[in-house]
Amino acid sequence: RRPLILVFIALASGIIFGSYFCISLDSLLTASIICLLVILLGIRKQFIIASLCFILIFVFFTGAFNIKRHTYFPERDGDILQYIDRGKVILEGVVVEPPVYYPEKNVLLVKCYRTMKDSAYAQVSGIVRLSVPPDIIFNYGDFIRFRSTLKKIRNFQNPGAFNYERFMGLQGIYVSGYVQNSSEIILLRNNGGGRIKTKLESFRSSFRKIIHDHSSSPQKEIIEAMTLGNKSAIPSEIREAFGRTGTSHILAISGLHIGMVAAFSFFLFFLIFKRSEYLMLKFNIVKSAASFAFIFVLLYALIAGMGVTVTRATIMAFVFLMALLLSKQKEFYSTLALAGLIILIISPQSLFDVSFQLSFMSVLAIIYIIPRFNILMPKTISFFPEWMHGFVRYIYTMITVCVAATIGTMPLIMYYFDLVSFVTIAANLIAVPILGTLTLALLMLAILSALLSATLSGYFIQLSSFFVQFSIDAIQKISAIPWSSMSVTKPNMVEILFFYFLIFLFFQYFERKKIKNINGTSSSLRLAVIKSLMMICVLFFFADITYLSLKSKYSSDLRLTVIDVGQGSSTLLQFPGGSNMLIDGGGFAQSSFDVGKSVITPFLHHRRLSRIDTVVLSHPHPDHLLGLIHILNHFKVREIWQPAIPVDPEVYPGWHHAIRKNNIKVSLISDTSTKQIFKDVRVDILWPPANHITDEKIFTQDEVNDLSLVLKMTYGKISVLIPGDISANIENKLIQTKADLKNDILIVPHHGSRLSSSPEFIKAVACRYAVVSAGKANVFHHPHPSVLERYQEAGAEIYRTDNNGAVTFTTDGFLIRIDTFVKK
């Protein structure tokens, strides 16, 4: 009855297969041709069923071929990848997308055409993601020359990490660069882009000026995000409030906005046509209204910049409007499948995009659940007076739509954002009507009036600002409720599938029960089967929760993971019996990128951790401290260990605020501190001496490094040494203290700096395994080749987070098992 659904499933399955299995393009092309020949033969012989099956197989192979074609990157002469890590290169190219503005930088996508060396040009191809200082402004279509060191876009290589490299690669972007100042970049000429897009960008720039002239922060940032698609400037506290309440989808142009514009324009023209008897007799006003809605949706999408998510949402809206034109408006499932097919044919990588998944699942949930909720509507409305029925019907519809969309997207939100909101329905009942409907309608009028008068457009912006501020205040108050949201561990795919299956069975049960009440016992067997399957799902979740809660508690292993945080350090220890310790959290100075939020938290949630018993700050430097602030605010932290070095409240205000806000115990640790026992694991503090630290002294950067905590863990016959960023001078002092430095696993001091890991220290520790935590191609050139050579000569097996990703050691006190995220 609905063949498009099967075709969509086949295409999506093929895309998944092509993404995760290594198979050549030639093999996929050959398989597709064979299937096509079999289909033609089957049609000729009238083998209808066999032909239909092979059509689905052909679509499957086509999907695999299409995703492989997008990810396949041939090594060809002149490709931009050939200039990676070759020092400063001079390139010329065109800015092919509107710049993205951040507080600390602007980001340009530059399509490069040529490179210059010794006053001679060479052809080059590829797109560079170029970061420039915030005071350097360029526009779409500018032809520029810049000098930069190019680097390959890479992931943080940890379990549970977002695959940023693949995300960018599927957009054809493999290389990034950075310009330090205006002397390294110049404008050669304007208007190097397409004529239509250049005019469109000119209008977007003028409309952005209208927004900034007639509204203040944070209203202007949200209005800009809802109209022009630039959400990077929205203050972090606003984003966090919307995230905790499950309303962050309103801040980015998505299917909600495009759908609202389509619905608004459709009903606007429908009401206009309905007022004319002549038009009602002359035209089909439903189809006429749908035709005009096409224009409004396209206009809004163009103004929004036609980004990837906007384009996908526009395609979906167009397909549903087309269904109205073709009188197929009741074929919701087939219409959704057709929209999905068109999107995946044009852009197969969309299947892995979170915005596509959330939009698709929310629409699917609304289509499936709302009709089943509507069975209860007559009973609900009957409790109210007749004059209230219209209002009650509207409120009931809003609630059921929010509930359906929440059910449909909740597992995905938990998977991608590690968060579940308990106030999302209440918050959406405020945000969707005010921001997603009323404000959006006013902004549409502002866009249309901007074509005629900037003053008139400004009035609509001012009116919109009032409702935006009202929504912000309401969302912030709701998000401030202590139980408004909860950070959760990341569910796996099996759990997500069981959840959706249980929801499907739940609604099927009530639907079949209604049929049974009408038809007697005709549905009894099916009801029994559904009840049995529901019981199996419930038992699965019960067993799953029991296993996860008891797994770590009854574990007898010590598990140490050196996390890949780039140029920084972070180590997780999971002790026998379930206790754990996080030593340092990485971080980048003068950057808005939050390592704690984007790197460490996904890893901890992948490990199913929602609490940290002990957070250890080895020393207060940004590459060790900054990532811990998010952890303190979003995990249950029992205690903090740190040396008695003062943490500057002006440099790290978030550290002190997080400690006060969450009432966390802070212990100042030195070599005189009592040895700690975690189950059967002994923790010794070897450095710093207590008498070396005073609150009055101002420490230099090197002195802070030398006052790092040095911890030794011993479990059975296995020991681990974590010495922070100490230098060779402190290494020698530790040797002189006659402390037992011998160990099996060493976290190499100071990321492998040439000023650490002296030959005497390496001899004293006599480690079997040495782990270097350092960023790929970092500016400090860590680890230094001479340091690596010394460890190799000592017989140590070396692991590096920049090459191996996260490195995990698991021991029962006697044997050591090693696992690296990157398999060699």
Side-chain angles (χ1 to χ4, degrees):
R1 291 175 55 194
R2 298 187 177 104
L4 285 175
I5 296 175
L6 295 176
V7 176
F8 172 77
I9 292 172
L11 182 66
S13 302
I15 291 171
I16 295 170
F17 175 81
S19 297
Y20 291 100
F21 293 93
C22 294
I23 187 166
S24 67
L25 282 171
D26 292 337
S27 299
L28 290 171
L29 185 60
T30 302
S32 300
I33 293 172
I34 291 172
C35 283
L36 192 58
L37 293 174
V38 172
I39 291 166
L40 294 173
L41 180 63
I43 292 173
R44 185 175 180 181
K45 297 292 185 180
Q46 295 187 344
F47 298 147
I48 305 302
I49 301 298
S51 298
L52 291 173
C53 291
F54 273 95
I55 287 173
L56 296 178
I57 297 172
F58 171 75
V59 172
F60 175 87
F61 283 122
T62 301
F65 177 84
N66 209 11
I67 192 67
K68 281 290 184 187
R69 182 175 61 84
H70 278 74
T71 56
Y72 178 65
F73 198 90
E75 293 291 336
R76 56 184 183 268
D77 292 338
D79 194 273
I80 199 73
L81 280 172
Q82 296 179 0
Y83 296 88
I84 288 174
D85 297 329
R86 288 194 178 183
K88 297 277 187 178
V89 294
I90 299 175
L91 294 162
E92 293 181 1
V94 176
V95 179
V96 292
E97 292 293 339
V100 179
Y101 303 103
Y102 294 93
E104 78 283 0
K105 64 182 178 182
N106 297 332
V107 175
L108 313 174
L109 292 184
V110 184
K111 185 175 183 180
C112 297
Y113 291 102
R114 58 189 184 184
T115 181
M116 185 167 49
K117 186 177 182 181
D118 299 328
S119 300
Y121 285 108
Q123 296 298 312
V124 69
S125 62
I127 298 176
V128 176
R129 185 181 185 273
L130 186 66
S131 298
V132 301
D135 58 329
I136 297 177
I137 306 296
F138 288 99
N139 299 309
Y140 165 79
D142 287 348
F143 196 90
I144 61 175
R145 177 188 296 159
F146 63 93
R147 190 164 72 97
S148 176
T149 299
L150 301 183
K151 298 197 178 288
K152 192 174 187 298
I153 291 175
R154 292 185 173 92
N155 296 322
F156 290 95
Q157 302 174 113
N158 302 302
F162 173 65
N163 196 335
Y164 181 70
E165 183 178 344
R166 184 179 72 174
F167 172 75
M168 297 300 290
L170 290 172
Q171 301 175 54
I173 305 168
Y174 301 89
V175 179
S176 66
Y178 178 71
V179 168
Q180 293 182 332
N181 52 61
S182 58
S183 65
E184 295 186 325
I185 186 168
I186 59 171
L187 173 67
L188 297 179
R189 62 177 180 269
N190 301 111
N191 302 327
R195 183 178 298 178
I196 296 175
K197 191 167 184 179
T198 299
K199 290 184 177 180
L200 184 62
E201 286 304 317
S202 176
F203 174 79
R204 281 164 51 84
S205 296
S206 63
F207 189 68
R208 182 182 292 110
K209 186 177 185 304
I210 295 172
I211 293 172
H212 284 248
D213 288 345
H214 293 87
S215 60
S216 57
S217 185
Q219 301 100 303
K220 64 182 179 183
E221 287 86 0
I222 292 180
I223 291 173
E224 188 174 337
M226 293 178 64
T227 53
L228 303 177
N230 178 28
K231 62 177 182 177
S232 59
I234 297 175
S236 57
E237 63 273 12
I238 302 293
R239 287 196 203 193
E240 193 166 331
F242 276 78
R244 287 198 301 268
T245 55
T247 53
S248 55
H249 58 95
I250 297 178
L251 299 181
I253 297 176
S254 60
L256 170 69
H257 300 76
I258 299 293
M260 287 296 184
V261 169
F264 169 74
S265 53
F266 172 81
F267 285 111
L268 175 65
F269 285 105
F270 181 79
L271 292 174
I272 292 173
F273 292 146
K274 197 174 179 182
R275 294 181 65 86
S276 171
E277 245 180 78
Y278 172 78
L279 292 176
M280 290 180 67
L281 293 172
K282 186 74 175 176
F283 304 103
N284 183 320
I285 62 171
V286 172
K287 294 183 179 182
S288 299
S291 300
F292 278 95
F294 269 101
I295 300 172
F296 266 66
V297 169
L298 181 59
L299 175 64
Y300 180 64
L302 289 171
I303 299 300
M306 288 300 288
V308 177
T309 56
V310 177
T311 302
R312 283 199 297 261
T314 303
I315 291 172
M316 193 171 289
F318 278 1
V319 172
F320 275 89
L321 288 172
M322 187 61 70
L324 279 175
L325 291 174
L326 298 176
S327 301
K328 299 288 185 182
Q329 59 265 38
K330 293 185 179 180
E331 286 294 332
F332 293 118
Y333 294 106
S334 295
T335 304
L336 182 61
L338 178 60
L341 275 170
I342 295 172
I343 291 169
L344 295 184
I345 290 170
I346 296 172
S347 174
Q349 64 268 28
S350 296
L351 184 64
F352 305 104
D353 190 272
V354 59
S355 63
F356 172 78
Q357 294 175 14
L358 290 173
S359 296
F360 194 88
M361 288 307 302
S362 62
V363 174
L364 180 60
I366 289 169
I367 291 172
Y368 178 73
I369 294 175
I370 291 300
R372 288 155 181 84
F373 273 152
N374 285 344
I375 296 172
L376 304 174
M377 186 183 287
K379 295 180 180 179
T380 305
I381 292 177
S382 63
F383 290 104
F384 296 90
E386 188 174 346
W387 60 272
M388 292 183 64
H389 283 186
F391 176 75
V392 172
R393 187 178 286 107
Y394 170 78
I395 295 298
Y396 182 88
T397 302
M398 286 292 299
I399 292 173
T400 53
V401 167
C402 288
V403 170
T406 300
I407 292 172
T409 58
M410 185 169 63
L412 296 177
I413 290 173
M414 292 171 66
Y415 181 80
Y416 286 109
F417 304 109
D418 308 319
L419 184 78
V420 60
S421 174
F422 300 111
V423 295
T424 183
I425 294 174
N428 274 282
L429 284 174
I430 295 172
V432 171
I434 297 175
L435 270 182
T437 305
L438 179 58
T439 304
L440 193 59
L442 291 170
L443 292 175
M444 281 298 298
L445 295 174
I447 291 171
L448 292 173
S449 58
L451 298 169
L452 305 172
S453 167
T455 304
L456 180 59
S457 179
Y459 288 135
F460 286 117
I461 295 295
Q462 289 176 343
L463 186 57
S464 301
S465 298
F466 171 78
F467 293 108
V468 168
Q469 187 59 54
F470 177 84
S471 300
I472 292 172
D473 293 340
I475 294 299
Q476 286 184 321
K477 287 179 181 178
I478 294 174
S479 69
I481 299 172
W483 47 265
S484 62
S485 63
M486 182 177 71
S487 184
V488 295
T489 59
K490 192 182 295 292
N492 57 42
M493 285 300 161
V494 175
E495 292 165 339
I496 290 173
L497 291 174
F498 263 90
F499 174 85
Y500 283 127
F501 188 49
L502 179 61
I503 294 300
F504 170 76
L505 292 173
F506 177 81
F507 285 103
Q508 282 293 309
Y509 175 77
F510 284 101
E511 188 173 358
R512 295 299 167 184
K513 197 169 184 181
K514 182 183 177 183
I515 294 173
K516 180 183 176 181
N517 293 335
I518 297 172
N519 299 334
T521 59
S522 59
S523 300
S524 295
L525 178 60
R526 186 169 292 185
L527 267 174
V529 171
I530 292 173
K531 286 169 70 175
S532 301
L533 291 173
M534 287 175 67
M535 185 59 65
I536 291 171
C537 290
V538 172
L539 289 174
F540 165 80
F541 282 113
F542 177 78
D544 186 51
I545 293 170
T546 303
Y547 169 75
L548 292 174
S549 61
L550 298 179
K551 178 184 176 183
S552 59
K553 185 176 180 179
Y554 289 97
S555 171
S556 59
D557 289 337
L558 169 64
R559 195 177 190 188
L560 177 148
T561 302
V562 183
I563 307 168
D564 175 20
V565 291
Q567 186 57 27
S569 181
S570 184
T571 304
L572 175 69
L573 290 113
Q574 294 173 271
F575 299 108
S579 297
N580 57 62
M581 174 184 288
L582 180 66
I583 303 175
D584 295 328
F588 299 105
Q590 299 177 342
S591 173
S592 61
F593 182 79
D594 191 336
V595 172
K597 178 181 179 180
S598 302
V599 180
I600 298 176
T601 293
F603 170 75
L604 296 177
H605 284 157
H606 177 80
R607 285 285 177 87
R608 300 301 183 101
L609 297 177
S610 58
R611 77 176 205 287
I612 302 295
D613 294 296
T614 307
V615 164
V616 178
L617 173 63
S618 65
H619 61 291
H621 275 168
D623 59 332
H624 295 254
L625 180 147
L626 289 175
L628 291 177
I629 296 173
H630 182 86
I631 304 302
L632 299 183
N633 284 320
H634 293 84
F635 285 77
K636 296 175 182 176
V637 177
R638 182 175 57 85
E639 184 181 15
I640 295 173
W641 291 2
Q642 66 177 76
I645 310 171
V647 179
D648 192 336
E650 294 185 3
V651 179
Y652 307 108
W655 175 260
H656 298 277
H657 175 73
I659 292 172
R660 290 193 302 269
K661 174 186 172 184
N662 299 288
N663 195 27
I664 302 172
K665 177 186 175 184
V666 178
S667 299
L668 303 181
I669 304 297
S670 68
D671 61 350
T672 60
S673 300
T674 307
K675 295 178 177 62
Q676 301 289 324
I677 304 294
F678 293 86
K679 197 64 182 280
D680 297 322
V681 180
R682 189 183 77 201
V683 180
D684 295 298
I685 297 92
L686 307 182
W687 193 263
N691 58 1
H692 275 54
I693 302 174
T694 61
D695 290 337
E696 294 80 16
K697 184 176 179 181
I698 298 175
F699 297 95
T700 66
Q701 181 162 323
D702 290 339
E703 287 174 332
V704 171
N705 282 334
D706 282 344
L707 291 171
S708 296
L709 288 176
V710 178
L711 306 179
K712 182 176 180 181
M713 284 83 172
T714 305
Y715 181 42
K717 296 184 177 182
I718 304 299
S719 59
V720 181
L721 186 66
I722 305 177
D725 281 359
I726 61 172
S727 67
N729 179 42
I730 303 304
E731 293 171 355
N732 291 331
K733 289 185 178 181
L734 283 171
I735 295 170
Q736 293 169 10
T737 63
K738 305 297 182 181
D740 182 12
L741 298 177
K742 287 188 177 181
N743 64 84
D744 299 277
I745 304 166
L746 171 70
I747 310 301
V748 173
H750 204 180
H751 320 288
S753 165
R754 63 182 179 84
L755 301 177
S756 302
S757 296
S758 63
E760 296 79 12
F761 179 74
I762 294 175
K763 182 179 179 181
V765 298
C767 62
R768 287 193 282 163
Y769 307 103
V771 187
V772 181
S773 180
K776 195 80 171 179
N778 62 83
V779 296
F780 305 102
H781 305 292
H782 294 161
H784 197 273
S786 63
V787 171
L788 296 177
E789 186 178 346
R790 289 200 288 268
Y791 281 105
Q792 288 170 343
E793 289 175 352
E797 190 173 339
I798 300 172
Y799 292 91
R800 300 169 50 171
T801 57
D802 56 343
N803 292 338
N804 303 108
V807 184
T808 300
F809 298 88
T810 306
T811 178
D812 59 359
F814 299 95
L815 300 175
I816 298 175
R817 301 187 301 277
I818 305 169
D819 181 51
T820 60
F821 181 76
V822 178
K823 311 298 179 184
K824 297 291 186 180

